[in-house]
Amino acid sequence: MPALLQGIQQRASALNRHIVLSEPDDPRVLRAGVEALKRGVAHITLVGSRAAVEACARQEGLSLEGLTLRDPATDPETAALAQRLVERRQHKGMTPEKAQTEIQKPLVFANMLVTEGKVDGSVSGAVHTTADVVRTAIQLIGPAPGSKLVSSFFLAALDKPHHPIQGGLIYTDCGLVINPSSEELVDIARAGAQSARQLLGEEPRVALLSFSTAGSGGHHPDVLKVKKAVTLLREADTGLKVDGEVQFDAAMVPSIAKRKLPDTQLEGRANVLVFPNLDAGNIGYKITERIGGAFMVGPLLQGLAKPANDLSRGCDTPDIVNAIAVTALQGG
């Protein structure tokens, strides 16, 4: 495991957070819950059918000792959570009858636990689709104060001898917002900066990427979109170090930054890479992972009032443990 991720798990352990998993009848998720508890990464609550979870534990030879198991069908707080769901969603047509049905869904129950402050964050997506996970998080937890947009990011852990830099990078948005406006890029960049503070433990150095550096791409609308975002971002967060619009090499290589961008604030040492659209972000992170050999954690969500993270349905147990650790750090 890369040193960065070992450090994240150790830092998470020191925070003593409580994370809920909504798919514990999946062996990967149950093993991750057991492993996270064993390592002290977080306290773990499992939400699901007690019979199904216990059957999975028997099949996998796992002990549930130390884990909290909550079955919406029998939990003493189900009715109260359903009432709170009505209060949060009645403006969207939620009725007591609908809420009683919805709260039986482990994904909904788990996120209501987050909303009500009974746990510090949730991790889902090994079974549920990204659309279900994100929609539920937005509806029940909602955006953070001052944020209009929920976006996603990947954490790139770089530790191979051939990597020109060692440590971590934030790639955003690579999984959710398809074609962000200038204003949305500002939200994504600010959320990415917060992710860098939480997970890298570093001052954010934000590069808004483009095929153009300092006007070299002319007046193409895609260039102007990023240029406008840079202006708005600098106005919104005067203390943030930002370069843009900037090509990847000028964002990451000091000698190229000096040559292409004389007034650079980052000097080719960006740690937050903001992609202009989902095409670029998705392609970029997969090249980094598959050819560059970086360890990528994500997609992770940012911009929520409280942490809730999505998993790839192709995830394995170590991926889930890492997501639990990241979620714990996002909690404060």
Side-chain angles (χ1 to χ4, degrees):
M1 182 190 302
L4 174 67
L5 297 178
Q6 293 179 21
I8 285 174
Q9 291 192 15
Q10 290 168 359
R11 288 165 57 203
S13 179
L15 293 174
N16 202 34
R17 302 291 187 200
H18 198 144
I19 305 301
V20 61
L21 308 178
S22 67
E23 301 155 326
D25 53 350
D26 183 294
R28 298 167 297 170
V29 176
L30 187 57
R31 285 195 299 268
V34 171
E35 185 66 20
L37 181 67
K38 178 181 177 181
R39 295 187 195 178
V41 173
H43 299 288
I44 300 295
T45 285
L46 310 174
V47 174
S49 161
R50 179 173 295 275
V53 175
E54 290 177 345
C56 183
R58 287 194 299 271
Q59 181 178 339
E60 298 297 314
L62 298 171
S63 169
L64 298 177
E65 184 177 357
L67 300 165
T68 300
L69 175 55
R70 302 188 66 165
D71 185 342
T74 58
D75 194 279
E77 290 194 84
T78 296
L81 290 173
Q83 177 58 37
R84 291 290 292 129
L85 178 58
V86 173
E87 294 168 6
R88 290 190 66 82
R89 300 290 297 164
Q90 60 186 352
H91 67 290
K92 292 293 186 179
M94 182 63 67
T95 65
E97 293 74 23
K98 289 180 181 178
Q100 289 173 14
T101 299
E102 287 296 302
I103 203 65
Q104 295 296 323
K105 299 176 181 177
L107 182 62
V108 173
F109 191 102
N111 278 279
M112 284 302 297
L113 291 179
V114 178
T115 299
E116 295 301 299
K118 297 181 182 298
V119 296
D120 297 302
S122 69
V123 175
S124 307
V127 178
H128 293 90
T129 66
T130 291
D132 285 340
V133 172
V134 174
R135 181 177 60 252
T136 303
I138 292 174
Q139 289 178 349
L140 302 186
I141 298 173
S147 177
K148 300 177 182 177
L149 185 73
V150 175
S151 57
S152 76
F153 71 98
F154 280 81
L155 172 64
L158 306 165
D159 68 341
K160 303 291 194 304
H162 67 270
H163 290 150
I165 63 171
Q166 299 287 302
L169 296 172
I170 302 295
Y171 279 42
T172 189
D173 181 347
C174 303
L176 198 58
V177 186
I178 295 174
N179 189 24
S181 65
S182 298
E183 292 76 10
E184 288 173 331
L185 282 175
V186 172
D187 273 348
I188 291 169
R190 297 187 75 184
Q194 179 64 6
S195 295
R197 294 184 188 99
Q198 291 171 327
L199 303 183
L200 304 182
E202 299 175 357
E203 179 185 6
R205 303 183 298 277
V206 182
L208 277 79
L209 300 178
S210 171
F211 65 82
S212 169
T213 296
S216 67
H219 297 286
H220 190 280
D222 288 349
V223 175
L224 297 178
K225 178 180 82 167
V226 179
K227 288 176 72 73
K228 179 181 177 182
V230 173
T231 299
L232 294 174
L233 179 58
R234 286 175 171 161
E235 291 174 352
D237 198 334
T238 56
L240 192 62
K241 290 186 176 181
V242 180
D243 273 355
E245 90 288 6
V246 62
Q247 292 164 298
F248 180 83
D249 54 358
M252 298 303 300
V253 183
S255 61
I256 296 177
K258 184 176 180 180
R259 184 165 64 250
K260 287 188 174 184
L261 199 63
D263 62 347
T264 176
Q265 295 183 10
L266 308 185
E267 300 179 340
R269 302 184 189 279
N271 59 7
V272 179
L273 301 176
V274 181
F275 291 87
N277 56 45
L278 195 58
D279 282 334
N282 188 271
I283 292 167
Y285 100 75
K286 288 183 177 177
I287 290 174
T288 303
E289 180 179 33
R290 300 300 179 181
I291 295 180
F295 193 106
M296 305 296 290
V297 180
L300 302 160
L301 299 180
Q302 57 188 9
L304 288 164
K306 296 180 180 180
N309 276 312
D310 181 33
L311 299 163
S312 165
R313 281 180 284 172
C315 64
D316 58 19
T317 293
D319 293 332
I320 303 169
V321 174
N322 285 326
I324 291 169
V326 166
T327 306
L329 289 186
Q330 288 177 313

